[in-house]
Amino acid sequence: MEKTLRYNYRLNPTPVQEAKLIEFGATARGIWNLLLSENRRRYEYDKTFLFYKDMASLLKEIKPLEEFEWIKAFDSAAGQQVARDLETAMKNAFSKGRLQRFPKHKISYKKKKLHNDSFRAVNNSNCIRIEDGAISIPKVGKVPIVLHRELVSNIKTVTVQYRHGKWECSITQEVECKTAKQVLETLTGFDINSKQTVVGSNGFMADNPKFLKHSKEKLNQLQRQLARRTKGSNRWQKTKQRINKLHGKISRQRLDFAHKVSRQIINETDIACFEDLNVAAMQKFNGSMVVDNVMGLITQLSKYKAELEGKLYHEIGRFEKSTGICSECGQRHVLSLNDRYFTCLSCGTYQNRDLSAAKSIARTSELDLIAAGIVAKVLKPTSQQKYSIKMKVFELSKLDCGSEKREAA
């Protein structure tokens, strides 16, 4: 089984190449706005939309026209990718399972004052390849790349974007997943909260680094400096760039922390169990705290890492209660956010709120997985006699088909 993964690399284009990348990003934005305007016009006329094949044909038809000469210089495959993205955005807007608005026109450079457009090129006939420390991009040339890690497989697509003062390319590749493990030795529940980022039922704990809070003083200083500048002046632009770079640094710190924590989680357990958190609703309550805690990012990274390693990832229902449940007797308690420790009213056990929640998640997940037939508990495995009696061992259930495996929800 293969999985498509995305790897980011830094680009160091020459001034000529940089001007070309900016032009191509603006062209992709122009094609998006053009196709979106045409779709809106069609809908007002006969209540129909143009989809990918129609939009690709439209681009081919208007290329010879004099007023659309700017499309000729653009890579045709990259223009088709813009049409695919617009089709996906329109379908998501009308899908019942997605809470997404109808796509809007992209703002021009003159209004935003930032070169943050992007475009995606497709590797047709090996037109995108890395040779001698440079990546060849159609109609741009060989752009120097910081290859901090080797490619896993062949390149599928490359997305080029200017972010936080640096040029980056995002390369998609097909990665082979490991064979699913038949014997799963450990099941661990993980509670994500505001104080510690992650607390595991096995004693694992990762404190919230609070990168935004540590950079808050410097960020406030730059924002006050920006307020004193004349809007649109050279000094205003320089201060704006410094703020943008600082936000980029905080974003990279969060991503690095989330990758390290999720990797440690998957390395230490065979079945990783989390809560299905409504992160969007939590952001409305306390946005900066939730974003700085990378709550949703850790679960996303843990999920795909578990698939790569042939392990299981499971989420309990969003409305399953986990906080305030005694880990010894199962008695439920009502706790406020300030109650980090509590004493059970039934058995008198004094325990940590987050650790008991993690154990409750592990217990609920175990029952869910066994009830769904995804795993089966092994009572006395011969090969596991050296482990303690409290060790829980599971085996992956098999379907009648033979080789297929049930997937965790």
Side-chain angles (χ1 to χ4, degrees), residues 180-197:
K181 297 182 69 173
Q182 296 303 310
V183 179
L184 306 167
E185 299 174 354
T186 53
L187 183 148
T188 310
F190 295 95
D191 176 64
I192 297 179
N193 56 84
S194 57
K195 190 171 184 181
Q196 284 86 23
T197 300

Side-chain angles (χ1 to χ4, degrees), residues 176-351:
E176 187 71 27
C177 298
K178 293 183 180 179
T179 307
K181 297 182 69 173
Q182 296 303 310
V183 179
L184 306 167
E185 299 174 354
T186 53
L187 183 148
T188 310
F190 295 95
D191 176 64
I192 297 179
N193 56 84
S194 57
K195 190 171 184 181
Q196 284 86 23
T197 300
V198 180
V199 176
S201 59
N202 59 353
F204 173 81
M205 186 177 294
D207 291 331
N208 184 4
K210 298 181 180 179
F211 295 115
L212 178 62
K213 185 177 180 180
H214 293 161
S215 301
K216 194 68 176 177
E217 184 178 351
K218 181 65 175 177
L219 188 61
N220 290 341
Q221 178 186 354
L222 289 174
Q223 287 174 339
R224 286 194 299 268
Q225 189 180 89
L226 182 69
R228 292 193 297 266
R229 308 293 189 200
T230 302
K231 189 171 183 179
S233 63
N234 289 335
R235 285 190 170 188
W236 186 89
Q237 294 288 356
K238 289 180 180 178
T239 308
K240 189 76 173 177
Q241 290 176 3
R242 292 178 64 187
I243 295 175
N244 193 18
K245 289 181 180 179
L246 183 57
H247 278 299
K249 178 183 177 182
I250 297 170
S251 175
R252 290 190 296 271
Q253 286 176 327
R254 288 173 179 163
L255 183 61
D256 178 69
F257 171 74
H259 270 295
K260 289 178 179 177
V261 171
S262 59
R263 171 50 60 190
Q264 188 174 354
I265 286 172
I266 299 304
N267 287 346
E268 293 181 357
T269 186
D270 291 337
I271 306 177
C273 307
F274 287 85
E275 297 174 281
D276 181 17
L277 294 174
N278 189 358
V279 179
M282 295 173 68
Q283 285 181 343
K284 294 179 181 178
F285 174 70
N286 195 343
S288 60
M289 182 273 293
V290 174
V291 172
D292 207 22
N293 207 11
V294 290
M295 291 182 173
L297 186 58
I298 289 179
T299 57
Q300 293 174 12
L301 297 180
S302 299
K303 184 175 182 179
Y304 94 82
K305 285 180 169 64
E307 294 176 1
L308 288 178
E309 297 297 329
K311 299 181 179 181
L312 282 182
Y313 173 91
H314 179 71
E315 285 185 354
I316 66 173
R318 178 169 295 181
F319 301 104
E320 291 281 351
K321 184 174 175 59
S322 59
T323 303
I325 299 179
C326 177
S327 58
E328 299 295 330
C329 65
Q331 177 68 29
R332 297 193 172 196
H333 304 80
V334 178
L335 304 176
S336 65
L337 290 176
N338 295 326
D339 298 330
R340 309 314 302 181
Y341 291 86
F342 69 97
T343 302
C344 180
L345 300 177
S346 179
C347 63
T349 305
Y350 182 73
Q351 51 199 306

Side-chain angles (χ1 to χ4, degrees), residues 74-112:
F74 193 50
D75 180 27
S76 58
Q80 294 170 2
Q81 293 302 304
V82 177
R84 288 186 185 275
D85 291 342
L86 182 57
E87 181 192 47
T88 303
M90 289 192 300
K91 287 182 177 180
N92 290 340
F94 294 102
S95 175
K96 292 182 179 179
R98 299 290 296 266
L99 297 176
Q100 189 168 326
R101 295 181 179 179
F102 193 79
K104 298 180 180 180
H105 289 89
K106 295 186 177 180
I107 303 174
S108 65
Y109 163 71
K110 290 183 178 180
K111 187 172 182 180
K112 295 186 75 175

